[in-house]
Amino acid sequence: MKAVIQRVARACVTVDGRVTGKIGRGFLVLLGVGEGDTRAEADRISKKLVNLRIFSDENGKINLSLKDVGGALLVVSQFTLYADCRHGNRPGFTAAAKPATAEALYEYFMEKCREEIPVVEHGVFGAHMDVELLNDGPFTVILE
């Protein structure tokens, strides 16, 4: 499982002209599920994510977590995080989990996040999505 986490001032995802998820301060999470991933990876990544201290405290020190600042999550499925570009110019995606498995783990990941974070918005699994964000920093972290 791979997660690209961007600290944002705001973010939203639109599918077919309809907003499916929108947050203010928090994290935009691009989540890729790999072949062989299990709930154990989702548990580990979600726990790390909600406790990741990348917000500034009153002294300007990067010391506060998403939970500490009352931030929200916008989780977007992103199988292309498993693109293999080593051979030729067309990426291969065989390392990504099959759609049924990936969707189940994507949904499970969001359930785990909701146990800690009250606002967890999302995109539409497998859909073409327009993702807008105002990156805060910018501050981007990758968890694997």
Side-chain angles (χ1 to χ4, degrees):
M1 188 167 281
K2 296 181 182 183
V4 176
I5 300 151
Q6 296 181 302
R7 186 179 71 186
V8 298
R10 66 178 179 274
C12 74
V13 62
T14 305
V15 177
D16 295 328
R18 182 179 64 86
V19 173
T20 63
K22 184 176 183 178
I23 63 167
R25 184 180 193 195
F27 294 159
L28 169 63
V29 180
L30 305 175
L31 185 71
V33 179
E35 189 64 40
D37 281 346
T38 65
R39 286 184 168 203
E41 281 84 22
D43 291 343
R44 182 180 55 79
I45 297 280
S46 64
K47 183 176 181 178
K48 177 68 88 172
L49 169 78
V50 300
N51 292 296
L52 195 61
R53 298 183 328 173
I54 62 172
F55 289 95
S56 298
D57 64 16
E58 64 279 356
N59 298 315
K61 185 175 180 179
I62 303 295
N63 201 30
L64 299 176
S65 72
L66 189 64
K67 292 190 316 186
D68 294 332
V69 301
L73 285 172
L74 176 56
V75 184
V76 175
S77 63
Q78 182 97 36
F79 80 95
T80 61
L81 292 177
Y82 280 91
D84 181 354
C85 300
R86 293 176 293 173
H87 307 289
N89 294 318
R90 183 171 183 245
F93 299 100
T94 57
K98 302 290 184 261
T101 301
E103 185 172 14
L105 282 173
Y106 170 71
E107 294 292 336
Y108 177 78
F109 176 84
M110 289 189 295
E111 285 175 29
K112 294 304 289 182
C113 290
R114 285 186 183 106
E115 291 174 5
E116 303 286 334
I117 305 298
V119 178
V120 179
E121 297 281 318
H122 56 85
V124 175
F125 186 89
H128 178 87
M129 295 174 269
D130 294 322
V131 181
E132 297 178 52
L133 70 138
L134 179 57
N135 200 317
D136 178 19
F139 206 123
T140 303
V141 175
I142 300 171
L143 297 178
E144 293 187 65

